[in-house]
């Protein structure tokens, strides 16, 4: 069918992959950092001129990278708000990332609509600081002039698609991107303009939500641009996950998402109901503590890195001689215990050894993520296979314990640009549909991720006993915290 490209505009860089449209084989790739200066004292900026994304895109596509490409898909960082005036010019820099400035605004919005349950019913999630709806509330409160001039709202991937198409009158987005805004309902498939007004103080134009296999348009040069989507949805599409699959991401914090045929309304607010890039849904549960619990333990034990912590943990045995770590070092979101601290239980003379603490840190992290998996399972989400992502997924102590603690087959994909690959797969789908060679309900069947597959096997009973030991300590320390 030809060749297609996928673009991943991440917070710090742009990556482009060019793929065979039939198989998904990566033919060539480009990369460029964003030309953005960080704030004083380091860290990522919360305000970014979106032109930086275009400059980075142009650099990543240099050297004829896109020569012969027939369609391109765009994925971009989640939760970036680009406020535009009536002429389509930015009224201020884009507001990006997990912006802590808007934490008070999140609490304001929850109260303004009548509580967490009201938000869950309305849009499938409870406002949090990073979400676009919360950033609009912050904008209205702290920069009222900019808020008053805001006539059009776009997210990063919407804005990039619009720019690539030459800024047409029609502005588009997809279900995946829209589902993260806090003003679009995955359950109804429609916007809630009243929530935009609640946050911003007035109505604003919103992009048209087009279908997963639809094209946003064609450039004057004849390059087809697909719908685009958010980074989470593109990564899931690039991995090729489907019903029965969950993805556990091991960052400093953790997240668990799974494919489900319908939107979930979770009154507790633990589940964020997102849409995916195929027409299905991606319920997500996050934890505040994943790899940060490992790093904290390594520092406590005077170890130089996580590999050393893993080696030490492998000298212990499942259950860590009764040592249990509740890894709530930053408070916790699942369960909702924002002001709590971590707990180390089961201290006995024989368990007070470095290797047992190392083992308990891995088991505590994975059991915390298993709690998040159980939140989804408790709502009828089928989980038969768990994809484990992040650098920590390569650690032997993680791979040894995860299948039995999760009670499922664990798949550890080789590192690859899955977000960009997912965007390219979407481009191939839109191209095939436009030519009549692909069904708009069935995405192209690309080769799956190369991966290591781990089975619970004979360790399942031992793992479930360790899990029960963890649950008992959690229930004794925080009774009923995980009940919806």
């Amino acid at each position: 069918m030809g060749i297609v490209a996928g673009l991943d505009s991440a917070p710090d860089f742009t990556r482009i992959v060019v793929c065979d449209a039939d198989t998904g084989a990566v033919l060539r790739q480009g990369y460029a950092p964003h030309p953005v200066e960080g704030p004083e004292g380091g860290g990522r900026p919360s305000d970014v001129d979106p032109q930086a994304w275009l400059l980075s895109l142009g650099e990543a596509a240099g050297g004829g990278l896109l020569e012969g490409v027939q369609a391109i898909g765009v994925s971009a960082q989640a939760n970036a708000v680009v406020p535009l005036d009536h002429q389509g010019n930015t009224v201020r820099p884009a507001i990006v990332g997990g912006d802590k400035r808007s934490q008070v605004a999140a609490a304001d919005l929850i109260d303004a609509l009548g509580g967490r349950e009201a938000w869950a019913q309305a849009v499938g999630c409870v406002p949090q600081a990073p979400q676009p709806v919360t950033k609009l509330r912050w904008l209205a409160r702290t920069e009222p002039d900019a808020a008053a001039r805001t006539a059009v709202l776009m997210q990063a991937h919407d804005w990039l698609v619009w720019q690539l198409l030459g800024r047409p009158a029609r502005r588009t987005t997809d279900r995946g991107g829209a589902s993260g805004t806090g003003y679009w309902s995955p359950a109804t498939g429609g916007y809630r303009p009243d929530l935009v007004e609640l946050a911003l103080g007035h109505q604003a134009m919103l992009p048209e939500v087009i279908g997963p296999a639809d094209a946003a348009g064609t450039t004057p040069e004849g390059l087809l641009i697909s719908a685009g989507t958010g980074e989470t949805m593109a990564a899931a599409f690039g991995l090729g996950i489907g019903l029965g699959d969950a993805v556990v991401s091991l960052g400093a914090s953790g997240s668990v998402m799974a494919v489900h045929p319908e939107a979930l309304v979770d009154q507790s607010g633990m589940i964020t109901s997102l849409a995916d890039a195929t027409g299905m849904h991606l319920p997500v549960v996050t934890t505040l503590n994943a790899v940060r619990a490992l790093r904290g333990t390594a520092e406590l034990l005077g170890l130089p890195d996580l590999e050393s912590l893993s080696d030490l943990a492998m000298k212990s045995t499942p259950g860590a001689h009764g040592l249990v770590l509740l890894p709530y070092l930053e408070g916790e979101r699942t369960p909702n215990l924002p002001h709590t601290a971590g707990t180390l239980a089961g201290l006995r003379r024989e368990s007070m050894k470095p290797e047992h603490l190392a083992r308990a840190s891995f088991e505590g992290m994975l059991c915390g993520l298993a709690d998040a998996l159980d939140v989804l399972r408790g709502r009828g989400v089928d989980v038969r296979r768990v994809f484990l992502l992040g650098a920590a997924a390569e650690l032997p102590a993680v791979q040894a314990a995860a299948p039995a603690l999760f009670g499922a087959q664990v798949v550890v994909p080789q590192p690859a640009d899955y977000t960009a690959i997912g965007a390219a797969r979407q481009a191939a789908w839109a191209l095939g549909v436009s030519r009549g060679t692909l069904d708009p309900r069935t995405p192209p069947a690309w080769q799956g991720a190369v991966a290591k597959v781990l089975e619970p096997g004979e360790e399942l009973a031992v793992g479930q006993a360790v899990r029960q030991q963890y649950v008992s300590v959690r229930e004794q320390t925080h009774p009923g915290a995980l009940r919806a």
Side-chain angles (χ1 to χ4, degrees), residues 98-114:
D99 197 338
K100 292 186 177 180
R101 295 178 300 183
S102 45
Q103 286 176 335
V104 173
D108 285 349
L109 279 176
I110 292 170
D111 291 342
L113 195 65

Side-chain angles (χ1 to χ4, degrees), residues 1 213 224 428-440:
M1 193 165 71
L224 183 139
W429 195 5
L431 182 65
V433 169
S434 74
R435 293 177 169 178
T437 57
L438 286 177
D439 187 325

Side-chain angles (χ1 to χ4, degrees), residues 451-464:
K452 179 189 290 188
V453 178
L454 307 166
E455 300 285 356
E458 295 177 357
E459 298 296 315
L460 180 60
V462 173
Q464 292 305 291

Side-chain angles (χ1 to χ4, degrees), residues 67-78:
E67 192 173 323
V69 166
Q70 294 150 311
I72 188 166
V74 176
S75 67
Q77 58 181 299

